[in-house]
Amino acid sequence: MSTATIAKPQAKQPGKGGRRFSLPVLLLIIAGALILTSIVRLITGADGITSTGQMSTALRAAVPIGLAGLGGLWAERAGVVNIGLEGMMILGTWFGAWAGYQWGPWTGVVVGILGGCLGAVLHAVATVTFNVNHIVSGVAINILALGITRYLSKFTFADTSEGSAKQSPPIDSLGNFDIPGLSSWLNTLNEKHWFLISDIAGLVGGLVTNLSPLTVIAVALVPATWWVLWRTAFGLRLRSCGENPVAAESLGVNVYKYKYLAVIISGGFAGLGGAFLSIVASNVYLDGQTGGRGYIGLASMIFGNWMPGGLALGAGLFGYTDSLNLRGGATNVHALILLLGFLLVAGAGYLVWKKRYVPAGITAAVAALMFVWYATTDQVPTQLVGASPYIVTLLVLSLSAQHLRMPKADGLPYRKGQGK
């Protein structure tokens, strides 16, 4: 079987979603955003927006979102929409905590992955074998996972020391570490509050400070996913199932097998994200612990245009907004209103350059409202800080929707031999 022939369904499509930024352009955009952020920090005095502690918290908040996003990426590249990521994360939190409490945190991580895979098997049977609507099946998994974990908690945690019907006993830590020398040097540099240099030091310092071993594993899974899906014959066949399963079947690919594998791997990633929440992020299982992160992970995958690199950027953005809530960042969110105003001005200028005058005018008007809001207030309500991850999710998806291209057969029903 020729892999070049199977690659035909993956050929780049013209039009929607076909345009991608080159690496130099992307680096210029990131550099511009860093410069604007540094300017805003100097104007507002909100040094916390780029502090090492803030970035370290953001990385920890981004990991479960990114793992859920990777789970969605694997499933949807094979043509299966996985709305059930939230439920699979819930299963990961409970099974991870249950096993971690009894046999240690690393056992909890493995069992948490298996818990997510359990939910994924149910989703695969429903969608792949019985052709149930993918959205309906995913929602059912979410509801079922929530009910099962609440029911099991009453029998496993309620009578334990320091546990309850809604909370597990504490779980032993996996431990944390810093990169020797580099972490302290970057933190010292960040505390100088110099223009741009201190902001870069804070960003990089957050990536090498207070790390959990599971954080390192999760970050490594992003390039590993890219390599498997885009540089191996296995990944090529799997992606062909999400683009044109009939053509893939005609070339000898067992479409059912690859869809099942993709969905189960997807559940494993989501379960790992759930285990991270209960073992690393808080060291206990809590009812409602996922807080919609499965859905935000799905949003980060869409924002990343079904690519691992873009997904990682999206998870980092959502993780950063979540970290503002975790660190009580009402002042920081107020400063970011000014940053948003500057970004909107830049966006309006870009639209004028593209001769899209009506959208440019609307964008400029919204930017003006941001500047007025910043100038007439001293801080934002705490409720807005808590809602900021979800607001950012809606804004990002709204702005990026016109430049996305999902796999062609994503969510479509498939029956073996339907092309004959």
Side-chain angles (χ1 to χ4, degrees), residues 51-68 89 171-178 202-219 272-284 289-290 293 296 312 315-324 326-327:
S51 69
T52 301
Q54 185 74 62
M55 296 303 174
S56 178
T57 305
L59 176 62
R60 183 163 292 199
V63 166
I65 296 172
L67 288 170
M89 284 191 78
I171 305 161
D172 292 339
S173 173
L174 291 172
N176 296 300
F177 66 94
D178 300 337
L203 174 61
V204 178
L207 304 179
V208 297
T209 301
N210 196 29
L211 295 173
S212 164
L214 202 55
T215 301
V216 178
I217 293 172
V219 172
L272 179 59
F276 184 93
L277 285 172
S278 59
I279 296 174
V280 177
S282 62
N283 90 308
V284 292
Q289 192 167 31
T290 56
R293 287 177 177 84
I296 298 178
L317 174 62
F318 300 138
Y320 179 77
T321 55
D322 196 16
S323 71
L324 295 175
L326 294 173
R327 292 176 63 90

Side-chain angles (χ1 to χ4, degrees), residues 41-231:
R41 179 180 61 80
L42 292 176
I43 293 173
T44 62
D47 296 322
I49 62 175
T50 57
S51 69
T52 301
Q54 185 74 62
M55 296 303 174
S56 178
T57 305
L59 176 62
R60 183 163 292 199
V63 166
I65 296 172
L67 288 170
L70 283 175
L73 176 68
W74 275 84
E76 299 208 10
R77 278 295 175 178
V80 180
V81 176
N82 193 356
I83 295 293
L85 289 168
E86 178 75 7
M88 296 169 198
M89 284 191 78
I90 292 172
L91 292 172
T93 60
W94 191 89
F95 279 100
W98 171 71
Y101 164 63
Q102 299 183 80
W103 301 300
W106 284 112
T107 303
V109 170
V110 174
V111 175
I113 293 172
L114 294 176
C117 290
L118 177 64
V121 169
L122 296 176
H123 188 54
V125 169
T127 57
V128 179
T129 302
F130 294 104
N131 265 336
V132 174
N133 181 278
H134 297 196
I135 306 299
V136 172
S137 174
V139 171
I141 294 293
N142 294 338
I143 296 171
L144 186 63
L146 187 61
I148 287 175
T149 52
R150 286 180 175 176
Y151 177 77
L152 291 175
S153 294
K154 293 179 181 179
F155 296 97
T156 53
F157 299 143
D159 297 328
T160 60
S161 175
E162 300 183 74
S164 70
K166 294 186 177 182
Q167 177 179 321
S168 73
I171 305 161
D172 292 339
S173 173
L174 291 172
N176 296 300
F177 66 94
D178 300 337
I179 303 299
L182 182 61
S183 175
S184 58
W185 176 69
L186 289 171
N187 186 52
T188 301
L189 197 59
N190 176 248
E191 291 175 349
K192 300 290 186 182
H193 305 311
W194 293 334
F195 175 74
L196 192 58
I197 296 174
S198 292
D199 301 291
I200 296 174
L203 174 61
V204 178
L207 304 179
V208 297
T209 301
N210 196 29
L211 295 173
S212 164
L214 202 55
T215 301
V216 178
I217 293 172
V219 172
L221 286 172
V222 175
T225 290
W226 173 83
W227 184 82
V228 171
L229 290 181
W230 274 269
R231 288 294 183 270

Side-chain angles (χ1 to χ4, degrees), residues 40 43 49 64 104 119 123 145 150 163 197 251 304 332 339 342 348 370 380 420:
V40 167
I43 293 173
I49 62 175
H123 188 54
R150 286 180 175 176
I197 296 174
L251 295 168
N332 292 339
L339 175 60
F342 285 134
M370 292 296 104
V380 297
K420 295 180 180 179

Side-chain angles (χ1 to χ4, degrees), residues 228-295:
V228 171
L229 290 181
W230 274 269
R231 288 294 183 270
T232 67
F234 170 81
L236 181 61
R237 295 186 180 100
L238 186 146
R239 289 185 293 116
S240 72
C241 295
E243 293 292 339
N244 195 332
V246 174
E249 181 190 341
S250 70
L251 295 168
V253 175
N254 188 333
V255 176
Y256 280 3
K257 181 183 80 171
Y258 279 92
K259 284 181 178 286
Y260 260 91
L261 285 173
V263 176
I264 292 171
I265 292 171
S266 171
F269 275 112
L272 179 59
F276 184 93
L277 285 172
S278 59
I279 296 174
V280 177
S282 62
N283 90 308
V284 292
Y285 161 79
L286 296 168
D287 187 30
Q289 192 167 31
T290 56
R293 287 177 177 84
Y295 299 114

